[in-house]
Amino acid sequence: MTVIEVFADVACPFTHVGLRRLVDLRDQQGRDDIRLRVRAWPLEVVNGTPLDPAFIAEEVDDIRRQVAPDLFQGFSADAFPATSLPALALAHAAYGIDLATGERMSLTLRDLLFEQRTDIADPRVLQGLAGEHGITGFDPTDTGAVLADHAEGAQRGVIGSPHFFTDDGAFFCPALDVSRDEAGHLHVATDVEGFEAFAAACFG
């Protein structure tokens, strides 16, 4: 089993694109021997303030319009979580079951947020997901593991969400080329060469 680590925030739209593209390619190649371990890189801790729903909505609109018309179909700023820490804690708890459960939870949380208009900070949502995945004793207020991931990521040189680590090197946001112009407008393009290099590192 090959494990690809990625430090990311569950509420980061760029991560949603990157993970979906990687999982789609893995499925196309039938590589069941590849698993994702999605670690926490909580942007509200990094930035010192929770993410702004209106700002994320602008990013989502730009990403969808420029490179990902197939994604973010059910996104709503009204359902954006006030904090991502409890959801990140749930993903960590899911990895305590096994790799497959942790990966499935990490992807499910992002799908709920970005495709199904669901507030993933809602304790009822989180407890329901915990029950569905066989996680007992989950406490959404216990964010110690999330903060520990952040500390480890900082030590390992994580520069943003998503930051992938493979046996052949590290890749920051390899699926997308992201920049802003002088007016602050977001420009997003598919990073074909970057993603090909990343895929080669993942799949050999």
Side-chain angles (χ1 to χ4, degrees):
M1 182 68 67
T2 297
V3 179
I4 301 165
E5 277 190 298
V6 52
F7 285 79
D9 196 315
V10 69
C12 169
F14 304 106
T15 299
H16 183 53
V17 177
L19 292 178
R20 288 287 290 265
R21 297 296 186 250
L22 180 59
V23 169
D24 287 348
L25 182 59
R26 180 186 66 183
D27 293 345
Q28 291 169 14
Q29 296 190 3
R31 294 296 301 271
D32 294 336
D33 59 316
I34 305 290
R35 289 291 177 188
L36 293 166
R37 182 180 293 278
V38 188
R39 309 285 297 277
W41 185 251
L43 292 173
E44 65 195 79
V45 174
V46 175
N47 299 330
T49 186
L51 295 175
D52 177 13
F55 182 78
I56 297 297
E58 291 179 2
E59 290 188 332
V60 164
D61 287 342
D62 288 334
I63 295 169
R64 183 169 49 199
R65 177 171 49 82
Q66 296 178 44
V67 296
D70 57 320
L71 297 179
F72 305 103
Q73 297 302 308
F75 176 77
S76 171
D78 293 337
F80 195 78
T83 174
S84 66
L85 299 183
L88 291 168
L90 179 57
H92 183 275
Y95 277 107
I97 304 294
D98 55 40
L99 269 173
T101 303
E103 178 187 301
R104 187 162 56 251
M105 180 68 79
S106 295
L107 297 174
T108 295
L109 286 164
R110 290 169 170 84
D111 188 69
L112 288 170
L113 170 58
F114 290 117
E115 308 296 340
Q116 299 185 43
R117 206 178 301 241
T118 302
D119 181 359
I120 57 171
D122 186 332
R124 295 168 298 180
V125 172
L126 296 175
Q127 292 294 354
L129 288 170
E132 291 172 13
H133 290 77
I135 300 167
T136 59
F138 169 66
D139 179 0
T141 68
D142 184 1
T143 58
V146 174
L147 298 179
D149 269 4
H150 170 254
E152 181 180 335
Q155 285 187 330
R156 293 172 63 177
V158 171
I159 61 174
S161 176
H163 199 139
F164 293 84
F165 290 85
T166 74
D167 289 342
D168 292 333
F171 299 82
F172 171 63
C173 201
L176 300 173
D177 182 3
V178 181
S179 63
R180 291 186 183 273
D181 61 24
E182 293 181 355
H185 298 137
L186 183 67
H187 294 274
V188 187
T190 300
D191 187 350
V192 176
E193 292 184 1
F195 190 70
E196 287 180 351
F198 172 56
C202 292
F203 303 125

